[in-house]
Amino acid sequence: MEALEGKALTDKVKEMPNSSKEEKAKACGYYTVTKDGVERVNMMKFLNALLDAEEISFDTPSDKSSRGRSASYRIAVQSNGALLIGSTYTKQLGLKPGDEFSLNIGRKHIKLIAISEQENQDEIAA
C-alpha cells in the first residue's frame, strides 16, 4: 500500500476517531515490514505528512534583514549508517527528485554541491 497524502490522508484519519495514532498511521500506509516480519510504524513520516496535508508549517521564512544566527537543523546517523535529509529541508531548498549532488568530505563536515553548480565552478577554475 502506498502512503496516503493530502486530502486522502486527512479524510482517512477523520474516519478513525477512536483509533490510536499508531493504528491511524498504519491504516494510512506509514509502516514497513522488517525481514523478520515485524511491522514498524513510521510515526514521524505520518505526522509530517499530516502537517503538510493541513498546510501547517513550523518553519519560518528567513528574514534577510534580521541579525543574529539562523536556526540550526540537526540530523542523526541512523542505525544502518545512513544520513537522511528530510523532505522539509529539500522542499525549503527547492530540490526536486533527480537533482544530483557531489559530496565534499572534510574532517568533521560534509558539503553537498549541486552537480550543475560544481560544473560551473570547474569551468570558472579552468
Side-chain angles (χ1 to χ4, degrees):
M1 173 182 183
E2 190 169 324
L4 299 177
E5 295 180 344
K7 184 165 176 20
L9 175 63
T10 56
D11 288 348
K12 182 69 173 178
V13 169
K14 289 175 185 173
E15 291 173 7
M16 306 175 69
N18 298 322
S19 300
S20 70
K21 60 186 175 193
E22 288 81 9
E23 291 169 330
K24 291 174 185 175
K26 189 175 168 188
C28 293
Y30 289 88
Y31 72 97
T32 56
V33 180
T34 66
K35 295 176 200 172
D36 302 330
V38 177
E39 292 180 347
R40 301 186 83 185
V41 177
N42 190 331
M43 192 56 62
M44 285 302 291
K45 272 189 178 180
F46 173 65
L47 295 175
N48 283 331
L50 273 176
L51 289 171
D52 288 345
E54 293 290 339
E55 297 181 355
I56 298 170
S57 176
F58 293 109
D59 296 329
T60 57
S62 61
D63 183 4
K64 301 287 181 193
S65 64
S66 67
R67 295 181 183 235
R69 293 174 49 164
S70 61
S72 64
Y73 300 99
R74 292 181 171 215
I75 59 173
V77 176
Q78 297 178 344
S79 61
N80 65 359
L83 284 174
L84 175 67
I85 299 173
S87 63
T88 301
Y89 308 118
T90 57
K91 285 177 187 175
Q92 186 176 352
L93 292 169
L95 302 178
K96 298 171 202 69
D99 287 351
E100 293 183 332
F101 295 85
S102 64
L103 295 173
N104 285 350
I105 300 175
R107 190 161 170 234
K108 289 275 187 176
H109 68 275
I110 299 172
K111 183 176 182 180
L112 292 175
I113 301 174
I115 296 293
S116 60
E117 182 181 323
Q118 178 158 6
E119 290 170 355
N120 291 340
Q121 289 177 356
D122 291 345
E123 289 174 8
I124 292 170

